[in-house]
Amino acid sequence: MTQDLARIRAFVQVFDAGGFSSAARQHGRSKALLSKYVTDLEDYLGVRLMNRTTRKLSLTEAGEAYYREASGLLQQLDDLDATITEQTAEPRGLLRVSAPRNFGESTLAPAIFEYLQKFPKVQLDLRLEDRYVDLVDEGIDVALRISTLADSSLIARKIADMHVVIGAAPALLKRAGTPQHPEDLRHLPCIIDVNLQGQSNWRFTEEGKTISVPVNGPLRVNSPLAALTAAVMGLGFVVLPSYLAEPAVQRGELVPVLPGFLPTGQTLQAVYPHRRHLAGKVRALIDHLVEWFATHPIH
């Protein structure tokens, strides 16, 4: 089996390098050995894979088909070897992580910094910003998102349950009244955070079913912290993650409403690009966050 892999790898290396001499220089093998491996492979398969001339090397039709499959299989084997090595070795290297700004600053920071203490050979590039981040285009290894997974090209693992609060300042409730049903919000001022899934269509749960209520109001903003400030000042009703709303609720600045209709299913997710094998440093971070939030629930 080892000899078979050596022949296949030699064939792929020779074609990738554009010739036997180039492949020999790149991989530290003799030209004669590479030639023997490729010839042995052709003899074993009973078909010519390469057309060889003094000036040019090209693949036969059979060689093209074999190269496509062989190069893919070798890449999978190399990826698997790297993954096993990373899993058994201490995580190291640059790790790029994206997360919402307010959540990152208030709740995620201690958890992710403890990960750095556990694995000091990792260099962390933590990007806190309230916008949609394209993981592939921007080279992000993993993103922490509070949502449901929408992009099928990504993989997500649940880290923790999340809860939301719908509330308003006491002065606004006194002036406009307390809504008894989500539909009442159609006629009440609401603060719209454009980062929120659905934006001006707020989702609620009634008798196990999801309902959507279109809302409007005096303010659209792309920051949940700014939305909280506006709500405390009485500008409108607001939907906020519980970790951000709870301190204001405890101070009496924000009063929760519609507790029986709160939407469910929101989770904190670790999202990463669709790869066959997950890098050890990413897997270690995700495992660490799952353990952290199991003992530090998000309220």
Side-chain angles (χ1 to χ4, degrees), residues 193 195-203:
D193 181 356
N195 292 311
L196 188 69
Q197 191 175 22
Q199 297 194 12
S200 58
N201 288 288
W202 289 1
R203 295 180 180 179

Side-chain angles (χ1 to χ4, degrees), residues 79-135:
D79 288 348
L80 180 58
D81 288 346
T83 300
I84 297 302
T85 300
E86 283 190 329
Q87 288 178 352
T88 55
E90 183 179 2
R92 67 180 63 226
L94 180 61
L95 178 60
R96 296 184 177 93
V97 179
S98 171
R101 178 175 296 279
N102 298 125
F103 175 74
E105 292 172 346
S106 66
T107 307
L108 178 64
I112 207 165
F113 295 159
E114 184 179 274
Y115 166 82
L116 279 181
Q117 290 178 326
K118 289 172 64 175
F119 303 109
K121 294 182 180 179
V122 173
Q123 295 88 48
L124 180 67
D125 180 357
L126 178 60
R127 306 179 185 184
L128 303 178
E129 45 196 347
D130 292 321
R131 68 176 180 87
Y132 178 83
V133 175
D134 189 308
L135 274 65

Side-chain angles (χ1 to χ4, degrees), residues 153-168:
S153 68
L154 302 175
I155 302 175
R157 179 178 171 188
K158 176 183 171 182
I159 300 296
D161 289 315
M162 298 292 295
H163 307 283
V164 298
V165 171
I166 300 172

